[in-house]
Amino acid sequence: MKNYSKTVALFVWVMLAIIIGSVGFLRFTTVPAHHVPPPQQWGFKGPLGTYDKAALQRGFQVYKEVCAACHELKRIRFRELAALGFSEPQIKALAATYSIKILNESGEEAERPGIPSDAFPPIHPNELATRAANNGALPPDQSLIIKARPHGEDYIYALLTGYGQTPPKDIVVGEGRYYNPVMAGGQISMAPPLKDGQVTYSDGTKATVSQMAKDVVEFLSWTAEPEMEDRKRTGLAVLLYMLVMTIIFYAAKRKIWKDVK
Ligand code: HEC
């Protein structure tokens, strides 16, 4: 009996040490402080955070009307946009505005209108053509861009709102490049994509640069993790289950061992 409870105590201490150790490890191994973009308020962060459907729809509008001229979204299928609150007919109509390259019955290249199960088609046939259209630079696919940068949400918000400042003397901005202190090296080959009033939101929200940047970041967070809300719901259910089971097992243990001193 004695030995048994010692083993349990040892186990608990080891688990605690692992948990505390890994939290500490994560806290102190992130990017050094001066690279961290200023944190914004995101309603979808945190254990209970959910996406705001109106913001997702506005963000999709910004992507579609602005970013989609240069950035692809290859990992998202039209039908997935149902999560943003679009109806099936709306999605069908949207998909049909895209043309999808296929091989026809005789094996020749052909095109057909998109259907809901298609993914957003590529803008250019390959990387070479993409670079040719972008002054040699490569606009990254945006499906997972939020996950591909540290502090993705805050970083992209800061990047999109970081234009328009005068570069310090030690930065020589190259031809076809733009000063943006958020980008590593202080310059980027993307012209400032947003200006006030660039899109017209149907819900009456004022389309300032900062508003559009926030909305498109919310949309890109969704494209990077469409299953986020399910994941959090499952996580909470599992925690609740474990809590209930812990109480039951503790009560059972007390009952079984109550006569053993
Ligand atoms: C006219 C073309 C064009 C448009 C429109 C455009 N981009 Fe870009 N974007 C680029 C290019 C080119 C690059 C690569 C820049 C580089 O490597 O210097 C880029 C890079 C980026 C990056 C990566 C920065 C990094 O850390 O490497 C992000 C994020 C981004 N764009 C977001 C957006 C968003 C969001 C929009 C819409 C609001 C948008 N872009 C609209 C051309 C464009």
Side-chain angles (χ1 to χ4, degrees):
M1 175 57 203
K2 262 228 157 112
N3 278 343
Y4 170 73
S5 61
K6 261 192 187 154
T7 318
V8 171
L10 184 70
F11 177 74
V12 168
W13 280 117
V14 169
M15 289 310 279
L16 266 178
I18 291 176
I19 292 169
I20 294 171
S22 49
V23 168
F25 179 77
L26 288 177
R27 279 218 72 75
F28 295 113
T29 49
T30 41
V31 196
H34 59 278
H35 284 147
V36 177
Q40 308 295 324
Q41 288 285 334
W42 303 110
F44 53 85
K45 299 284 266 190
L48 298 174
T50 52
Y51 294 120
D52 167 357
K53 284 213 171 96
L56 286 179
Q57 291 206 8
R58 290 196 302 270
F60 173 56
Q61 187 183 350
V62 175
Y63 167 73
K64 190 166 167 291
E65 292 179 16
V66 186
C67 323
C70 306
H71 292 274
E72 297 177 343
L73 197 61
K74 283 187 292 202
R75 284 167 199 276
I76 297 296
R77 293 179 184 279
F78 296 114
R79 63 170 177 226
E80 292 179 78
L81 295 172
L84 275 56
F86 289 115
S87 67
E88 222 180 289
Q90 280 175 320
I91 292 175
K92 268 194 177 146
L94 174 83
T97 63
Y98 289 79
S99 88
I100 308 290
K101 284 209 163 61
I102 51 156
L103 295 178
N104 66 14
E105 302 85 41
S106 31
E108 288 152 357
E109 279 200 354
E111 294 193 354
R112 61 154 173 79
I115 51 173
S117 57
D118 286 321
F120 281 81
I123 303 172
H124 301 286
N126 56 31
E127 185 182 326
L128 215 64
T130 309
R131 284 190 188 275
N134 285 281
N135 237 331
L138 190 66
D141 183 280
Q142 285 193 337
S143 319
L144 295 169
I145 191 80
I146 292 275
K147 301 254 176 204
R149 299 287 179 275
H151 305 276
E153 304 86 3
D154 296 332
Y155 170 78
I156 294 176
Y157 175 82
L159 184 78
L160 294 173
T161 54
Y163 287 95
Q165 308 171 40
T166 334
K169 284 190 201 73
D170 60 329
I171 291 188
V172 183
V173 180
E175 210 190 308
R177 312 206 76 199
Y178 303 83
Y179 175 62
N180 189 320
V182 179
M183 184 75 174
Q187 42 187 313
I188 184 165
S189 303
M190 169 168 72
L194 297 173
K195 58 178 194 309
D196 285 335
Q198 181 133 7
V199 304
T200 308
Y201 285 138
S202 57
D203 64 4
T205 304
K206 208 162 164 236
T208 58
V209 168
S210 138
Q211 180 69 45
M212 287 181 287
K214 264 213 143 122
D215 291 340
V216 82
V217 165
E218 181 128 2
F219 172 67
L220 294 177
S221 301
W222 172 78
T223 64
E225 204 186 349
E227 72 293 351
M228 183 269 289
E229 291 177 352
D230 280 347
R231 168 171 66 76
K232 286 180 182 170
R233 259 195 298 275
T234 311
L236 280 175
V238 169
L239 278 182
L240 205 67
Y241 170 78
M242 297 214 295
L243 190 72
V244 170
M245 289 314 267
T246 306
I247 294 168
I248 292 175
F249 279 132
Y250 183 70
K253 179 226 154 225
R254 296 258 311 210
K255 197 172 157 88
I256 293 168
W257 292 91
K258 72 173 183 298
D259 297 332
V260 183
K261 286 278 170 292

Coordinates of all heavy atoms in Angstrom, one line a residue, residues 62-63 65-71 131 133-140 142 145-146 149 152 155-156 159-160 163 177 182-184 187-194 198 212-213 216-217 220, ligand 1:
V62 N -12.7 41.0 -49.4 CA -11.4 41.6 -49.6 C -10.5 40.7 -50.4 O -9.8 41.1 -51.3 CB -10.8 42.0 -48.2 CG1 -9.4 42.6 -48.5 CG2 -11.7 43.0 -47.5
Y63 N -10.4 39.4 -49.9 CA -9.6 38.5 -50.7 C -9.9 38.4 -52.1 O -9.1 38.6 -53.0 CB -9.7 37.0 -50.1 CG -9.0 36.1 -51.0 CD1 -7.6 36.0 -51.2 CD2 -9.8 35.3 -51.9 CE1 -7.0 35.2 -52.1 CE2 -9.2 34.5 -52.9 CZ -7.8 34.5 -53.0 OH -7.2 33.7 -53.9
E65 N -11.8 40.5 -54.1 CA -11.7 41.7 -54.9 C -10.3 42.3 -54.9 O -10.0 43.1 -55.8 CB -12.7 42.7 -54.4 CG -14.1 42.3 -54.6 CD -15.2 43.3 -54.1 OE1 -14.8 44.4 -53.8 OE2 -16.3 42.9 -53.9
V66 N -9.4 41.9 -54.0 CA -8.1 42.6 -53.9 C -7.0 41.5 -54.1 O -6.3 41.4 -55.1 CB -7.9 43.4 -52.6 CG1 -6.6 44.2 -52.7 CG2 -9.1 44.4 -52.4
C67 N -6.8 40.7 -53.0 CA -5.7 39.8 -53.0 C -5.7 38.8 -54.1 O -4.6 38.3 -54.5 CB -5.6 39.1 -51.6 SG -6.2 40.1 -50.2
A68 N -6.9 38.3 -54.5 CA -7.0 37.2 -55.5 C -6.4 37.6 -56.9 O -6.1 36.7 -57.7 CB -8.4 36.8 -55.7
A69 N -6.1 38.9 -57.1 CA -5.4 39.3 -58.3 C -4.0 38.7 -58.4 O -3.5 38.4 -59.5 CB -5.3 40.8 -58.4
C70 N -3.4 38.5 -57.2 CA -2.0 37.9 -57.2 C -1.9 36.7 -56.4 O -1.0 35.9 -56.7 CB -1.1 39.0 -56.6 SG -1.2 40.6 -57.5
H71 N -2.7 36.5 -55.3 CA -2.5 35.4 -54.4 C -3.5 34.2 -54.7 O -4.7 34.5 -54.7 CB -2.6 35.8 -53.0 CG -1.5 36.7 -52.5 ND1 -0.3 36.2 -52.0 CD2 -1.4 38.0 -52.5 CE1 0.5 37.2 -51.7 NE2 -0.2 38.4 -51.9
R131 N 6.0 34.4 -61.4 CA 7.0 35.4 -61.2 C 7.1 36.4 -62.3 O 7.3 37.6 -62.1 CB 8.4 34.7 -61.1 CG 8.6 34.0 -59.7 CD 10.0 33.5 -59.6 NE 10.2 32.7 -58.4 CZ 10.4 33.2 -57.2 NH1 10.5 34.5 -57.0 NH2 10.5 32.3 -56.2
A133 N 4.7 37.6 -63.9 CA 3.6 38.6 -63.7 C 3.8 39.5 -62.5 O 3.1 40.4 -62.3 CB 2.3 37.9 -63.6
N134 N 4.8 39.1 -61.7 CA 5.0 39.9 -60.4 C 6.4 40.4 -60.3 O 6.9 40.5 -59.2 CB 4.6 39.0 -59.2 CG 3.2 38.8 -59.1 OD1 2.5 39.6 -58.6 ND2 2.7 37.6 -59.6
N135 N 7.0 40.8 -61.4 CA 8.3 41.5 -61.3 C 9.4 40.6 -60.7 O 10.3 41.0 -60.0 CB 8.2 42.7 -60.4 CG 8.6 44.0 -61.1 OD1 9.5 43.9 -62.0 ND2 8.0 45.1 -60.7
G136 N 9.2 39.2 -60.9 CA 10.2 38.3 -60.4 C 9.8 37.8 -59.0 O 10.4 36.8 -58.5
A137 N 8.9 38.5 -58.3 CA 8.6 38.1 -56.9 C 7.5 37.0 -57.0 O 6.8 36.8 -58.0 CB 8.1 39.2 -56.1
L138 N 7.3 36.3 -55.9 CA 6.4 35.2 -55.8 C 5.3 35.4 -54.7 O 5.7 35.3 -53.5 CB 7.1 33.9 -55.5 CG 6.3 32.6 -55.7 CD1 5.8 32.4 -57.1 CD2 7.0 31.4 -55.2
P139 N 4.1 35.8 -55.1 CA 3.1 36.0 -54.0 C 2.7 34.6 -53.5 O 2.2 33.8 -54.2 CB 1.9 36.6 -54.8 CG 2.4 36.9 -56.1 CD 3.6 36.1 -56.4
P140 N 2.9 34.4 -52.2 CA 2.6 33.0 -51.7 C 1.2 32.7 -51.7 O 0.3 33.6 -51.6 CB 3.2 33.1 -50.2 CG 3.3 34.5 -49.9 CD 3.5 35.2 -51.2
Q142 N -2.3 31.8 -50.3 CA -2.8 32.3 -49.0 C -3.5 31.3 -48.2 O -3.8 31.6 -47.0 CB -3.6 33.5 -49.3 CG -2.8 34.7 -49.6 CD -3.5 36.0 -49.6 OE1 -4.7 36.1 -49.7 NE2 -2.8 37.1 -49.4
I145 N -1.2 30.8 -45.2 CA -0.2 31.8 -44.9 C -0.2 32.2 -43.4 O 0.9 32.5 -42.8 CB -0.4 33.0 -45.8 CG1 0.8 34.0 -45.7 CG2 -1.7 33.8 -45.5 CD1 1.9 33.6 -46.5
I146 N -1.4 32.2 -42.7 CA -1.4 32.6 -41.3 C -0.5 31.7 -40.5 O 0.1 32.1 -39.5 CB -2.9 32.5 -40.8 CG1 -3.7 33.6 -41.5 CG2 -3.0 32.6 -39.3 CD1 -3.6 35.0 -40.8
R149 N 3.7 32.0 -40.9 CA 4.4 33.1 -40.3 C 4.2 33.1 -38.8 O 3.1 32.9 -38.3 CB 3.9 34.5 -40.8 CG 4.1 34.7 -42.4 CD 5.5 34.9 -42.8 NE 5.6 35.0 -44.2 CZ 5.7 34.0 -45.1 NH1 5.7 32.8 -44.7 NH2 5.9 34.3 -46.4
G152 N 1.1 34.8 -37.0 CA 0.5 35.1 -38.3 C -0.6 36.2 -38.4 O -0.5 37.0 -39.3
Y155 N 1.0 39.5 -37.5 CA 2.0 39.8 -38.5 C 1.3 40.4 -39.8 O 1.7 41.4 -40.3 CB 2.9 38.6 -38.8 CG 3.8 38.8 -40.0 CD1 5.0 39.5 -39.8 CD2 3.5 38.3 -41.2 CE1 5.8 39.7 -40.9 CE2 4.3 38.5 -42.3 CZ 5.5 39.2 -42.1 OH 6.3 39.4 -43.2
I156 N 0.3 39.6 -40.3 CA -0.2 40.0 -41.6 C -1.0 41.3 -41.4 O -1.0 42.2 -42.3 CB -1.1 38.9 -42.2 CG1 -0.1 37.8 -42.5 CG2 -1.9 39.3 -43.4 CD1 -0.7 36.5 -43.0
L159 N 1.6 43.9 -41.4 CA 2.2 44.1 -42.7 C 1.2 44.9 -43.6 O 1.7 45.9 -44.3 CB 2.4 42.7 -43.4 CG 3.1 42.7 -44.7 CD1 4.6 42.9 -44.5 CD2 2.8 41.3 -45.4
L160 N -0.1 44.6 -43.6 CA -1.0 45.3 -44.5 C -1.2 46.7 -44.1 O -1.6 47.6 -44.9 CB -2.4 44.6 -44.5 CG -2.4 43.2 -45.1 CD1 -3.7 42.5 -44.9 CD2 -2.0 43.2 -46.6
Y163 N 2.5 50.1 -44.4 CA 3.0 50.9 -45.6 C 2.9 52.4 -45.3 O 2.3 52.8 -44.3 CB 2.2 50.6 -46.8 CG 2.4 49.2 -47.5 CD1 1.6 48.2 -47.2 CD2 3.5 49.0 -48.3 CE1 1.7 46.9 -47.8 CE2 3.6 47.8 -48.9 CZ 2.8 46.7 -48.6 OH 3.0 45.5 -49.2
R177 N 10.2 47.8 -55.3 CA 10.0 47.3 -53.9 C 9.4 48.5 -53.1 O 9.5 49.6 -53.6 CB 11.3 46.8 -53.3 CG 12.0 45.8 -54.3 CD 12.9 44.9 -53.5 NE 12.1 43.8 -52.9 CZ 12.5 43.1 -51.9 NH1 13.7 43.3 -51.4 NH2 11.8 42.2 -51.3
V182 N 7.6 46.0 -41.4 CA 7.2 44.7 -40.8 C 7.8 43.6 -41.5 O 8.1 42.5 -40.9 CB 5.6 44.6 -40.9 CG1 5.1 43.3 -40.3 CG2 5.0 45.8 -40.1
M183 N 8.1 43.8 -42.8 CA 8.7 42.7 -43.6 C 10.2 42.6 -43.2 O 10.9 43.6 -43.0 CB 8.6 43.1 -45.1 CG 9.1 42.1 -46.1 SD 8.0 40.6 -46.2 CE 8.8 39.7 -47.5
A184 N 10.7 41.3 -43.2 CA 12.1 41.1 -42.8 C 13.0 41.9 -43.9 O 12.7 41.8 -45.1 CB 12.5 39.7 -42.9
Q187 N 11.7 45.8 -46.7 CA 11.1 46.1 -47.9 C 10.4 44.8 -48.5 O 10.8 43.7 -48.2 CB 12.1 46.7 -48.9 CG 13.4 46.0 -48.9 CD 14.4 46.8 -49.8 OE1 14.0 47.1 -51.0 NE2 15.6 47.0 -49.3
I188 N 9.4 45.1 -49.4 CA 8.6 44.0 -49.9 C 8.3 44.3 -51.4 O 8.2 45.5 -51.8 CB 7.3 43.8 -49.0 CG1 6.5 42.6 -49.5 CG2 6.5 45.1 -49.0 CD1 5.5 42.2 -48.5
S189 N 8.1 43.2 -52.2 CA 7.8 43.4 -53.6 C 6.3 43.5 -53.8 O 5.8 43.3 -54.9 CB 8.4 42.2 -54.4 OG 9.8 42.2 -54.2
M190 N 5.5 43.7 -52.7 CA 4.1 43.8 -52.9 C 3.7 45.3 -52.8 O 4.0 45.9 -51.7 CB 3.3 43.0 -51.9 CG 1.8 43.2 -51.8 SD 0.9 42.0 -50.8 CE 1.4 42.4 -49.2
A191 N 3.1 45.9 -53.8 CA 2.6 47.2 -53.7 C 1.6 47.3 -52.6 O 0.9 46.3 -52.4 CB 2.1 47.7 -55.0
P192 N 1.4 48.4 -51.9 CA 0.4 48.5 -50.9 C -1.0 48.0 -51.4 O -1.5 48.7 -52.3 CB 0.3 50.0 -50.5 CG 1.6 50.6 -51.0 CD 2.1 49.7 -52.1
P193 N -1.5 46.9 -51.0 CA -2.7 46.4 -51.7 C -4.0 47.1 -51.3 O -5.0 47.0 -52.0 CB -2.7 44.9 -51.2 CG -1.9 44.8 -50.0 CD -1.0 45.9 -50.0
L194 N -4.0 47.7 -50.1 CA -5.2 48.3 -49.6 C -5.2 49.8 -49.5 O -4.2 50.4 -49.1 CB -5.5 47.7 -48.2 CG -5.7 46.2 -48.0 CD1 -5.8 45.8 -46.6 CD2 -6.9 45.8 -48.8
Q198 N -11.5 50.8 -50.6 CA -11.2 50.0 -51.8 C -12.3 49.0 -52.1 O -12.6 48.8 -53.3 CB -9.9 49.2 -51.4 CG -9.5 48.3 -52.6 CD -8.1 48.4 -52.8 OE1 -7.3 49.0 -52.1 NE2 -7.6 47.8 -53.9
M212 N -10.3 46.5 -43.3 CA -10.2 45.5 -44.4 C -9.0 44.5 -44.0 O -9.2 43.3 -44.2 CB -9.8 46.1 -45.7 CG -11.0 46.8 -46.3 SD -10.7 47.6 -47.9 CE -9.7 49.0 -47.5
A213 N -8.0 45.0 -43.4 CA -6.8 44.2 -43.0 C -7.3 43.2 -41.9 O -7.1 42.0 -42.0 CB -5.7 45.0 -42.4
V216 N -9.7 40.5 -43.6 CA -9.0 39.6 -44.4 C -8.2 38.6 -43.6 O -8.1 37.4 -43.9 CB -8.2 40.2 -45.6 CG1 -6.9 40.7 -45.1 CG2 -8.1 39.3 -46.7
V217 N -7.7 39.1 -42.5 CA -6.9 38.2 -41.5 C -7.9 37.2 -40.9 O -7.5 36.0 -40.8 CB -6.2 39.0 -40.5 CG1 -5.7 38.1 -39.3 CG2 -5.0 39.8 -41.1
L220 N -8.5 34.6 -43.6 CA -7.3 33.8 -43.8 C -7.0 32.9 -42.6 O -6.4 31.8 -42.8 CB -6.1 34.6 -44.2 CG -6.2 35.4 -45.5 CD1 -4.9 36.3 -45.7 CD2 -6.4 34.4 -46.7
Ligands
HEC1 C1 -0.5 43.1 -57.2 C2 -0.2 41.9 -56.6 C3 -0.5 41.7 -55.2 C4 -1.7 41.9 -54.5 C5 -3.0 42.5 -55.1 C6 -1.5 41.4 -53.2 N1 -0.3 40.9 -53.0 FE1 0.5 40.1 -51.3 N2 2.2 39.8 -52.3 C7 2.5 40.1 -53.6 C8 3.9 39.7 -53.9 C9 4.6 39.9 -55.2 C10 4.4 39.2 -52.7 C11 5.9 38.7 -52.4 C12 6.6 39.9 -51.8 C13 8.1 39.6 -51.5 O1 8.5 38.4 -51.6 O2 8.8 40.6 -51.4 C14 3.4 39.2 -51.7 C15 3.5 38.8 -50.4 C16 2.5 38.8 -49.5 C17 2.6 38.2 -48.1 C18 3.8 37.5 -47.5 C19 4.7 38.5 -46.8 C20 5.9 37.7 -46.2 O3 6.0 37.7 -45.0 O4 6.6 37.0 -47.0 C21 1.4 38.4 -47.5 C22 1.0 37.9 -46.1 C23 0.5 39.0 -48.5 N3 1.2 39.3 -49.6 C24 -0.8 39.3 -48.2 C25 -1.6 40.0 -49.1 C26 -3.0 40.3 -48.8 C27 -3.8 39.9 -47.6 C28 -3.5 40.9 -49.9 C29 -4.9 41.4 -50.2 C30 -5.4 42.4 -49.2 C31 -2.4 40.9 -50.9 N4 -1.3 40.4 -50.4 C32 -2.5 41.5 -52.2 C33 1.6 40.6 -54.5 C34 0.4 41.0 -54.2

